Amino acid sequence: MSEEGTRVSRRKLFGLAGAGVALAGAGAAAGIGIDKATSGNAEASVTTVDFHGEHQAGIVTPAQANLHFAALDVTTKDREKLRQLLKTWTDAARRMTAGQEVVPNGAVGSGDYAPPGDTGEALDLPASHLTLTIGFGPSLFDGRFGLAGKRPPQLIDLPLFPKDKLDPARGGGDLCIQACADDPQVAVHAVRNLVRLGFGVTEVRWSQLGFGRSSSTSREQQTPRNLFGFKDGTNNIKSEDTDFLRDQVWATAADGQAWMAGGSYLVARRIRMHIETWDRETLDGQQQIVGRTKGTGAPLGQTAEFDELDLDVGGAGGEPLIPADAHVRLASHQALNGVRILRRGYNFVDGSDGVGHLEAGLFFLAFNRDTRKQYVPMQQALSSKDAMMEYVQHTGSAHFAVPPGVSRTGYWGEGLFA
Amino acid sequence: MSVRKSPRTPLAVVAGAAALVALTACDSQGSTGNETAAAGGPIKVEATDTACTVSATTAGAGNVTFEITNKGTKVTEFYLYAEGDRIVGEVENIAPGLNRRLIVEVADAGKYQTACKPGMAGDGIRGEFTVTGGAAKQGDANAQKAQATKSYAGYVANNTAALEEETGKFVDLVKAGKVDEAKAAYARTRTYYERIEPVAEKFGDLDPAIDVREADLEPGQQFTGFHRLEKDLFVSGLQADSPQIADKLLTDVKDLVAKSKTFELTALDLANGAKGLLDEVATGKITGEEETFSHTDLWDFQANVDGSKGAITSLRPLLQERDAALVSTLDKEFANVQGLLDKTRAGEGFKLYNELSQDQVKEFASAVDALSEPLSKVAEVVSK
């Protein structure tokens, strides 16, 4: 740890001049720069993700390995306090995503008789690609803060889907913070410090740790596997798919609320997986349920992972090779009139369930332009028909409007309070 | 619980069905998955409105890949037929200008036919196709398997007969407004359904109508069947439409019973059904979700175990010969689960599920896991 406890910002702007996410060319996909910097006398290689830009980071940013997601409720009735907190949070997020402490010299330089201004557990750690992404839940627009007229029509209260078994303690929220980083400690540090700054204005409603990103959001990344052992996200929207992003992820002013232009809508679902019964299913059975082969991830009837699904291929007796109730069929854009979503989920194991099993599953996160037309019809089809529903149960659910990105002088959600 | 377990494509080892398994089925060994489909690469098929030109008319047994290009003006289909027009593989909806691929696993040497169907109708433009080499035909001459399915068919027939009879009595009680007697008959009646659930689930529309849980209803789906009457009897009191719901239940049950008589199960279905019934217990009964109004989950639990045991009993001679150790493990674990169930007996039936302590629930879960693991190995032994 360096003597003065100060960590210099090692972010280089990478020539994006505030344009944020430049979707031209892999690598630059989310404004990632790799800097060589000297801190103390050891040379460190640090990666930061630019906090500023047209869109918030943490959406098309190549998915980091770890997640800490927190949903919060606003406890104050004072609109101005909430607005000030968003400013405070934005400043803290600017610093933390750049690899700095929450406040300069906060961990050890606040004086011996004051609690440290930074909790300290990320002191010697690099920025670790930390991204912080904020969202506003439907309940924030209930009238407490004069925001009822600002609620976007896309920000619906999610319907109850067939077979949902929702735990109220794991759902909803006035606000959310999604922290993603290469190092779980960095993500937790970020959420913890924002929560700390919010006492008196906000409190945590629920939170979720996730590991092993279960989706790839860039062609640079290998498709990861979920806890069923299958590649997940082969067909995901990638940061290089600029047309899909424009049409299916980013909101525009014309969509209904001008303050949301450049934003998106985040659906969070905590999906418990019954991994023990899944593990007793035969390989053939597992592949029939998913609609892909377990080894390469190729769709049934095809040879390689990225081969296009062909839903019209039949095998013996003309039975479709990808069964009528296979997960990939029901979730495919071919079956949903071209609808796609950008998935950014994580695996979780939250201890055990008290009756001898691991409390494991997928924390599903998805960004889309209009949840009413994209996520909802997709999930209705899956909840009703997906063979995989025998092995999964949705236990938590939340929906957030994710405002656009922040300029160098702006703050999170400023358009909402304009 | 009504869970749709669609009949999965049988494995290639069953009944000589050349089930199409994707190329990479052996990939669990970690191969690259880059096997070529056939020595000479894909066979090109040029489809027009009037012709179906196939670049090769012979292939070695194994995976054969066709690359179909539609150069016509009509949407077309491509088929590979075995003798008697049995479909070996097909690809539909090939729009003009599109390229599509069909990979088929052809195990048996012999005469086949290719066909393009411009306009997706008729017998198509046929061509002869010969497959050489290949394995000897896997006959289904396994008398033990035939004996197993026959024996299980008997078990199913006994239970469906009882189901129809008991449902009739139960429905009469509901319609007569005899709530207490109907409540007493409810769990007993369901026993016969829960025993044969793997068979019931083969009927995708009837199973939900009979056995859907309120929590699983889809938008616009009417709440009918056993659990709707369960709610009426145990929670909300009989409703104006309870008699109609009861009538429909009996109609659906009769329909199911009639259909089950003509339904053929394979030995592999038995193995998967035995495992599936215990999965039901693990995910539905252990949590007390199935009988959320009446808390009669233990009756269902016992019935699922009975049904699982029934399937294993039918397979027993075959399993004994192929894997005697597995049979003794299954015996031991079935006995363990049964011992726990016996401890919860009360009067004619069982304790209510909400009377169990968390420790008892955990004990059940552990015993079910211990039984389910060896049960999950039965399918492979049967499929050899």
Side-chain angles (χ1 to χ4, degrees), chain A residues 161-165 274 276-277 280-285 287-289 293 295-296 300-303 307 310 312-319 321 325 354-357 380 384-387 390-391 393, chain B residues 3-6 8-9 11 18-20 22-25 27 32-33 87-93 100-103 215-219 272 275 279 282-283 289 358 361-362 365 369 372-373 376 379:
Chain A
F161 296 97
K163 303 188 184 68
D164 274 3
K165 196 187 176 194
H274 296 296
E276 292 80 6
T277 48
R280 293 174 195 137
E281 182 62 69
T282 61
L283 177 64
D284 180 64
Q287 295 186 150
Q288 297 276 327
I289 290 164
T293 51
T296 59
L300 297 185
Q302 307 302 320
T303 49
D307 287 354
D310 193 333
D312 296 320
V313 177
E319 284 294 308
L321 270 201
D325 61 358
V355 289
H357 307 136
Q380 291 285 19
S384 314
K385 305 189 190 101
D386 187 3
E390 262 184 78
Y391 300 91
Q393 201 161 37
Chain B
V3 180
R4 291 162 320 85
K5 190 125 189 165
S6 67
R8 305 245 174 264
T9 315
L11 293 167
L20 236 110
L23 284 183
T24 43
D27 250 26
T32 59
I87 300 169
V88 183
E90 53 138 344
V91 58
E92 300 167 7
N93 283 322
R100 298 286 283 280
R101 181 164 52 191
L102 174 67
I103 305 166
D216 297 348
L217 287 171
E218 291 162 22
N272 285 325
K275 175 191 79 77
D279 286 350
T283 51
E289 284 171 66
Q358 187 59 20
V361 170
K362 188 167 183 306
D369 279 332
S372 298
E373 282 300 322
S376 73

Side-chain angles (χ1 to χ4, degrees), chain B residues 175-191:
Chain B
K175 289 169 74 177
K178 297 180 177 170
V179 173
D180 287 343
E181 288 171 68
K183 280 164 90 167
Y186 171 76
R188 191 177 62 241
T189 308
R190 283 187 51 77
T191 292

Side-chain angles (χ1 to χ4, degrees), chain B residues 211-324:
Chain B
D211 197 30
V212 71
R213 300 179 333 188
E214 191 175 33
D216 297 348
L217 287 171
E218 291 162 22
Q221 186 185 354
Q222 201 200 352
F223 187 24
T224 61
F226 277 118
H227 293 302
R228 164 58 209 278
L229 294 173
E230 178 202 6
K231 188 178 182 180
D232 293 355
L233 290 168
F234 290 88
V235 177
S236 48
L238 288 177
Q239 305 293 306
D241 64 343
S242 296
Q244 284 86 333
I245 297 285
D247 280 333
K248 181 175 167 15
L249 173 64
L250 185 57
T251 307
D252 288 339
V253 164
K254 283 182 168 166
D255 198 2
L256 181 93
V257 171
K259 281 188 171 152
S260 71
K261 290 192 170 81
T262 62
F263 197 76
E264 285 191 27
L265 290 163
T266 64
L268 202 60
D269 286 333
L270 268 56
N272 285 325
K275 175 191 79 77
L277 278 162
L278 265 291
D279 286 350
E280 290 271 317
V281 172
T283 51
K285 311 323 191 261
I286 291 289
T287 55
E289 284 171 66
E290 178 82 21
E291 304 291 355
T292 187
F293 308 114
S294 66
H295 305 296
T296 55
D297 301 83
L298 286 170
W299 279 260
D300 294 357
F301 190 156
Q302 178 69 63
N304 286 160
V305 171
D306 290 345
S308 183
K309 223 168 168 171
I312 296 299
T313 303
S314 297
L315 290 166
R316 196 177 181 94
L318 179 77
L319 294 176
Q320 189 67 46
E321 194 171 294
R322 295 183 175 189
D323 193 341

Side-chain angles (χ1 to χ4, degrees), chain A residues 356-369:
Chain A
H357 307 136
L358 294 175
E359 175 86 27
L362 175 75
F363 188 63
F364 173 97
L365 292 168
F367 293 87
N368 60 192
R369 182 175 170 183

